Every structure is written in C-alpha cells, then in structure tokens.
Amino acid sequence: DLFGIPFPIRRQVNQRILKLAEDPRPEGQESVGTGPDAVLPVHGCEVYYSIDDEARRVTIVAVLRADAG
C-alpha cells in the first residue's frame, strides 16, 4: 500500500515506476526466480513487477517496504 509509505519516499517510488515504461530493466533491478520478473529497490522499498516484452508492458505487482518482510 503506497499510502503507508511517507510522502517523500512515495514520490520517489512513483517516479521510478513511471520510468519503468522507458526502461524496464534499469540499473539496480534484480531478476526474481518465481512470481514477478523483477524487483527494483527504491529508498527502503521494493517494487515488484512483471515485464512483457512482446506487448511492451510493465505490470506492477506490489510495492513493499524492504523492512516489512
């Protein structure tokens, strides 16, 4: 839930999510073995997402605080 993340960090997370449309595999992104294709750490949060290269689509699966799990 993005609303549980403090505003300054939430804004940075939102900006990084929007940039995934241009570059779905940015520096710092890691592949995930099961479930979502990738995870991108952003200031204490992790953005989990799937990449569909054929459809040129990025689907955000979850945004979690890194200390939550």
Side-chain angles (χ1 to χ4, degrees), residues 16 18-27 40 49 51 58:
R16 293 296 297 270
L18 291 173
K19 289 181 180 180
L20 289 174
E22 298 169 17
D23 181 10
R25 295 176 179 88
E27 186 175 331
L40 179 64
Y49 61 100
I51 303 166
V58 173

Side-chain angles (χ1 to χ4, degrees), residues 3-37:
F3 294 110
I5 300 170
F7 176 74
I9 295 171
R10 187 171 67 232
R11 183 178 61 216
Q12 292 173 357
V13 169
N14 284 335
Q15 290 171 347
R16 293 296 297 270
I17 287 172
L18 291 173
K19 289 181 180 180
L20 289 174
E22 298 169 17
D23 181 10
R25 295 176 179 88
E27 186 175 331
Q29 169 264 337
E30 299 177 16
S31 295
V32 179
T34 60
D37 294 325

